[in-house]
Amino acid sequence: MSFDIRRLSERKLSGEALSGEELRWVIEAYTAGEIGDAPVAAWLMAVCAKGLSDEETWHLTQAMAHSGQMLDLSSIARPTVDKHSTGGVGDKVTLVAGPIAAACGVCVPKMSGRGLGHTGGTIDKLEAIAGLRTDLSAEQFIAQAREMGLVVASQSSDLAPADGKLYALRDATGTVDSRGLIASSIMSKKIASGAEAIVLEVTVGSGAFMGTVEEARALAGLMIALGERAGRRMAALLTDMNRPLGRAVGNAVEVEEAAAVLAGGGPADVREVSLEIAALMLVTAGVQCDLPAARECAGSALRSGAAAEKFAEMVRAQRGDPSALDRTLLGHAPAHIADFGADDSGIVTRMDALSVGRAALAAGAGRRRKGDSVDPATGLRIISAEGERTERGVPVIEVLAASEQHAEVALEELRRGIVISDRPAEQRPPMLELMSSRMSSEDSR
Ligand code: URA
């Protein structure tokens, strides 16, 4: 059966919902190259203007999930649980929560993406470890998951290829920002990745896709419903992304911070969010009966060093050099270092996540377009975080840059987003809300 894409766009624009058969056709015909970018871009604009019903979002998700390989994880004996973040600045939670959850007995088979724009990507961060491979075949991915319970690899091109193609077009045509399109894009990949349980970290604030708690709640609710309809157990944690998470933003510098948290130190916000995500992973996977018990298990895996050992084991299995984790910036050296300092002593009243993310990108840590390369040595070290006091002449942020010019642009971005004054900062807890149909409200803090 074939349809006329222009007619479908007109109907969408007039407010009609499209059928499952029509949406499946759009995805199949576009992936096969039978319809070009221009008419699909027009359809995407109609979708952004009118939105998608829950039923349409479900059919789109299913069509994209089934556009490529559906990973079969049935050979893995342990319960499998995946984790996804909707993106942030300084968000290295996967690198901490994954090993903690794996050390507590679940299997974490995780496919991750690269950074784009001001948000970082786990694969870029992991590749800052000398020798580490993320381009695993499906067989290698499943074998490592089976043997050691933890694998983080780059998303294979066979997994939800329709989403890869559609996302590139959305990026080029300014049609990323639609709840139904974001939910179907994320959930098609997660459903195709095969885990029985999925925990979502849905970020909220200036550095996130979702600016308000209401928007984030709506996105999380939609993704939970899509996952449950596909037979997966789901939970979501809404986290603050108005300011960066932790004190490191970039690639090697974020792995260094994740390793510090796994070693028992590091910033409190990274530790807290990672422990809570790990605990949610344990309950959602069904290996712990409630959140208090799961928190206990996660905390003890962190304190005992079992999680740090699990991370080192994963690095070794993916041919990385775990001794790099003991070196400053994993042994990388940035070409140029500059300081962002305060003109006067005072309190860091505001440190805007978006500006900090853009500064890290400008320093060399991110990519403006898909396919750009990143410099693993670059990024930012936050010396005084939002709410902390700083003194005149003392650096607030150290900029690790690819060149002096890169550093200049990064400093300009920081000037836009950092306010130092005598006013206290707004109180912002790093964790905002837990969403799950499986956990009782008394489980929440
Ligand atoms: N991340 C995705 O994978 N897809 C989107 O549409 C937005 C964020």
Side-chain angles (χ1 to χ4, degrees):
M1 168 89 63
S2 116
F3 298 92
D4 177 351
I5 182 73
R6 276 160 302 192
R7 180 79 193 109
L8 297 186
S9 302
E10 282 162 14
R11 282 184 36 222
K12 184 78 245 176
L13 210 48
S14 73
E16 256 185 74
L18 302 183
S19 70
E21 204 180 350
E22 288 165 334
L23 289 164
R24 215 166 16 257
W25 175 80
V26 173
I27 294 304
E28 284 170 8
Y30 182 55
T31 314
E34 289 159 15
I35 38 178
D37 286 348
V40 177
W43 173 75
L44 285 169
M45 284 173 200
V47 167
C48 282
K50 294 293 170 180
L52 292 169
S53 69
D54 290 356
E55 199 60 18
E56 287 180 297
T57 309
W58 163 249
H59 289 300
L60 197 59
T61 307
Q62 283 293 92
M64 292 201 293
H66 289 274
S67 65
Q69 185 182 23
M70 299 286 285
L71 273 191
D72 177 4
L73 304 181
S74 60
S75 63
I76 298 173
R78 276 176 272 194
T80 52
V81 54
D82 201 348
K83 180 256 164 200
H84 182 82
S85 164
T86 55
V89 177
D91 185 347
K92 65 281 296 170
V93 168
T94 291
L95 300 178
V96 183
I100 295 175
C104 291
V106 292
C107 173
V108 184
K110 171 136 177 58
M111 296 231 182
S112 284
R114 296 184 183 277
L116 189 60
H118 72 276
T119 60
T122 301
I123 293 303
D124 292 330
K125 295 171 201 182
L126 274 177
E127 285 181 351
I129 301 173
L132 190 135
R133 299 274 309 269
T134 59
D135 57 339
L136 308 184
S137 66
E139 292 71 30
Q140 289 169 324
F141 180 82
I142 294 171
Q144 185 175 323
R146 197 169 42 231
E147 279 152 32
M148 56 164 296
L150 179 64
V151 55
V152 182
S154 51
Q155 194 188 303
S156 99
S157 54
D158 287 348
L159 201 97
D163 174 63
K165 195 167 173 190
L166 203 63
Y167 191 88
L169 185 61
R170 287 167 59 208
D171 195 33
T173 55
T175 52
V176 168
D177 197 7
S178 146
R179 191 196 305 151
L181 291 177
I182 295 174
S184 57
S185 164
I186 293 173
M187 290 309 295
S188 62
K189 289 175 285 207
K190 295 286 113 184
I191 291 167
S193 300
E196 299 153 313
I198 301 164
V199 173
L200 304 166
E201 187 192 343
V202 181
T203 49
V204 187
S206 68
F209 271 112
M210 299 293 126
T212 66
V213 170
E214 290 70 27
E215 286 169 351
R217 199 182 282 138
L219 177 67
L222 183 55
M223 292 195 288
I224 288 174
L226 291 168
E228 288 181 344
R229 191 160 168 185
R232 313 305 162 92
R233 293 191 301 272
M234 301 290 303
L237 185 67
L238 270 47
T239 60
D240 180 72
M241 196 44 72
N242 280 298
R243 61 185 186 199
L245 188 67
R247 290 173 180 267
V249 182
N251 296 307
V253 72
E254 284 199 41
V255 179
E256 187 185 79
E257 186 166 274
V261 174
L262 286 167
D269 58 350
V270 180
R271 184 170 56 250
E272 272 174 44
V273 175
S274 302
L275 280 168
E276 192 69 357
I277 288 282
L280 282 172
M281 290 166 80
L282 299 178
V283 180
T284 314
V287 299
Q288 292 289 333
C289 57
D290 59 25
L291 262 180
R295 287 182 187 129
E296 189 61 40
C297 183
S300 111
L302 187 62
R303 282 189 302 276
S304 69
E309 180 43 44
K310 191 50 92 176
F311 184 57
E313 199 186 327
M314 184 194 90
V315 169
R316 271 192 297 274
Q318 292 181 216
R319 301 203 219 151
D321 174 8
S323 72
L325 300 173
D326 301 327
R327 286 181 228 129
T328 305
L329 281 180
L330 313 178
H332 294 281
H336 183 81
I337 299 182
D339 288 336
F340 176 86
D343 292 337
D344 288 304
S345 300
I347 297 167
V348 183
T349 307
R350 180 80 184 105
M351 186 173 285
D352 172 50
L354 179 60
S355 304
V356 170
R358 285 182 174 156
L361 167 69
R367 54 172 65 74
R368 291 185 195 281
R369 314 192 161 276
K370 221 171 158 181
D372 288 354
S373 59
V374 300
D375 180 342
T378 61
L380 310 174
R381 277 191 207 282
I382 299 169
I383 318 287
S384 298
E386 193 176 279
E388 292 176 351
R389 230 195 121 69
T390 184
E391 301 302 327
R392 185 189 170 139
V394 174
V396 175
I397 293 188
E398 193 178 47
V399 179
L400 316 167
S403 70
E404 196 175 339
Q405 290 78 4
H406 283 77
E408 279 309 318
V409 186
L411 290 170
E412 197 52 49
E413 292 288 358
L414 292 176
R415 271 179 220 115
R416 275 194 268 275
I418 296 179
V419 178
I420 293 164
S421 74
D422 53 7
R423 283 178 291 116
E426 204 179 298
Q427 294 290 319
R428 296 184 214 275
M431 294 183 281
L432 304 172
E433 195 169 305
L434 163 66
M435 293 176 66
S436 163
S437 49
R438 297 171 54 78
M439 280 161 247
S440 63
S441 53
E442 63 266 30
D443 272 344
S444 316
R445 282 173 202 278

